[in-house]
Amino acid sequence: MSASGAVFTLQEQFSQAIEALSIPYRVDNDRTLVEAFPVIAVAYSGGLDSSVLLHLASAFAREQGVRLLAFHIHHGISANADQWQAHCRAQSERVDVQFDTRNVTLAAKDKSGVEEAARLARYQALGQLCREHGASLLLTAHHLDDQAETVLLQMLRGSGVAGISGMDGANKAAELLGDAGLLMARPLLGASRGELEQYAQQEQVSFVEDESNSDTRYARNALRHKVMPVLAEFFPGFQERFARAAGHAQAAQRLLTVLATQDLAACLEGEYLSVPALRRLDPERVDNLLRHWLGLRGLRMPSSAWLFELRTQLLDAKYDAQLCVTHPDCHVRRYRDRVFLTPRRPPFDENTGPQPFTWRGEDKLHFPQFSGSLFFDVADTGFNAAWLRGQSLSVCLRSGGERVRLAWNRPAKSLKYHFQNMDIPAWERPYLPLVFAQEQILYAAGIGMDCHAQPKPGEEGEEGEEGDGPRIALRWQADLG
């Protein structure tokens, strides 16, 4: 609704939502909407909601000169899946929208159930299709009633502030879509299911009915068919109030994130958390910090009970206790008043051989064989970038006898000496690889860079003078997922 009280049509709501999304991409150089989003994709299931979305998007794309794509994911769950796929192809052709589809096979059903398995497979496939076609914006048909259902469902699950925040109007979901640059938007989030139904009837939009939507064994369907009608009877317009509550929760979550960022900065020592620093925080702030820390590493959010147990053990265990708490995606360990996140993985095979590689300027390189990534950070000290590009490099495990010299005014010492001197836990040492240039060690994970391939202070090194180009510092980070 406008300031004058005028009610916007569904097409106007859609257009305004897309225009608003493009603003951050257009401010600097006055780019047009087409330049901001030259290729837009619609997640198109063939149901009422996505069919209305496609109809609105196709009209908008023609008006703006945007290339529009419709992506359909075939799960193979329903006996009618082939018919739905054919329907979506035909309707896309009818509105002159390029169509593509992907058949997915659901992974083994775990506790998350078929709903969650289908959701994860769908978004992974949608992200892949967007990358293949160069789409930078993916539209989904979530609406006001979906938002209300999401908030209520999360409340019934006992979720915290993040859960009851519901869905954002737009966000980047790198873990879900497999692409950190892809923006996912919900331009119909302010429209009710009733508005979509009315639009479909007026515009004669053709859609299919998924028989599983009436199966109340699924939690969301049970809410939709059994609970929401009762709420509507006694609390008309409850969807808008739920949406407002979600907005308040989103604002609260942003404040919690700011606080967690500040607390993490105060408690973080390199890659580890300081237990004495954690003890200075209230229990609620420790929990908030731990959730944030896990989230930054792409790990699943733990339950409140698990988090309580973790906090209790981290803060109450004796100083010399080598604590290990198992998370579904990693281990959380405490060693000498430091908290580590470590992978859940078996020991490396003794026969794991060196892995040769060439650096071509990447920010990082992933080495699955060694369960981690090597980062190449621009820094004041390190290896000359041009020299490093020309080396035959390799990553390998320690075999015994290796020595690292961290500075020209200090002698070379064995890895065992450095591990003990730097207080690196014994359980972490077998997973810390070495980086070589031919026979010369450049870097030992957990210890640092050897000085031999770097110039002496004030002198020219073999790889060139200090001003020849940027310096690259090596850094290792273990996989956790």
Side-chain angles (χ1 to χ4, degrees), residues 82-322:
D82 290 343
Q83 297 178 29
W84 298 340
Q85 190 177 51
H87 168 88
C88 290
R89 184 184 299 278
Q91 293 302 312
S92 298
E93 292 174 354
R94 179 182 176 187
V95 293
D96 195 25
V97 171
Q98 183 179 346
F99 177 82
D100 201 354
T101 184
R102 185 62 44 84
N103 288 26
V104 297
T105 302
L106 298 187
K109 316 299 188 301
D110 55 15
K111 293 181 181 179
S112 62
V114 67
E115 264 189 308
E116 182 66 6
R119 186 183 78 91
L120 294 176
R122 178 169 63 254
Y123 281 113
Q124 285 294 315
L126 287 169
Q128 185 176 2
L129 284 168
C130 286
R131 288 191 294 277
E132 291 176 3
H133 290 272
S136 57
L137 177 63
L138 174 65
L139 306 181
T140 68
H142 296 99
H143 49 72
L144 187 62
D145 295 68
D146 292 326
Q147 181 77 304
E149 291 166 6
T150 298
V151 172
L152 183 54
L153 189 60
Q154 293 297 331
M155 291 175 65
L156 292 172
R157 290 172 174 166
S159 299
V161 174
I164 63 175
S165 295
M167 296 176 284
D168 294 321
N171 65 286
K172 292 184 177 181
E175 295 297 323
L176 194 61
L177 297 167
D179 188 339
L182 179 59
L183 182 65
M184 180 166 59
R186 304 167 183 88
L188 302 181
L189 203 54
S192 68
R193 182 179 287 115
E195 290 179 88
L196 270 60
E197 291 172 346
Q198 184 179 10
Y199 181 91
Q201 184 177 7
Q202 291 175 347
E203 301 296 329
Q204 297 183 333
V205 176
S206 177
F207 58 90
V208 299
E209 292 283 358
D210 185 343
E211 70 278 357
S212 70
N213 288 337
S214 60
D215 188 346
T216 54
R217 291 178 298 176
Y218 297 121
R220 188 174 288 272
N221 289 344
L223 286 180
R224 184 175 303 164
H225 297 293
K226 301 294 185 180
V227 178
M228 296 304 193
V230 178
L231 285 176
E233 179 181 355
F234 292 98
F235 302 96
F238 74 92
Q239 296 95 331
E240 289 85 353
R241 290 192 286 276
F242 272 38
R244 284 202 300 274
H248 297 323
Q250 288 169 9
Q253 183 56 47
R254 287 192 290 271
L255 291 176
L256 288 174
T257 300
V258 170
L259 181 61
T261 302
Q262 295 171 349
D263 287 342
L264 183 61
C267 296
L268 201 62
E269 296 181 354
E271 294 290 320
Y272 318 121
L273 292 180
S274 164
V275 172
L278 289 175
R279 287 199 179 104
R280 290 193 287 268
L281 301 178
D282 295 332
E284 293 81 8
R285 288 177 67 172
V286 175
D287 290 352
N288 185 48
L289 184 157
L290 291 173
R291 287 193 184 96
H292 182 66
W293 193 40
L294 294 171
L296 290 176
R297 300 302 295 269
L299 304 174
R300 283 176 279 183
M301 285 298 100
S303 66
S304 297
W306 185 92
L307 204 60
F308 173 81
E309 181 66 22
L310 173 65
R311 169 167 45 83
T312 301
Q313 294 195 44
L314 289 180
L315 301 184
D316 294 348
K318 295 181 180 179
Y319 173 79
D320 58 354
Q322 296 193 30

Side-chain angles (χ1 to χ4, degrees), residues 447-464:
I447 296 174
M449 295 181 292
D450 190 276
C451 67
H452 284 95
Q454 304 179 58
K456 293 182 180 181
E459 298 182 9
E460 180 182 339
E462 293 182 4
E463 78 280 16

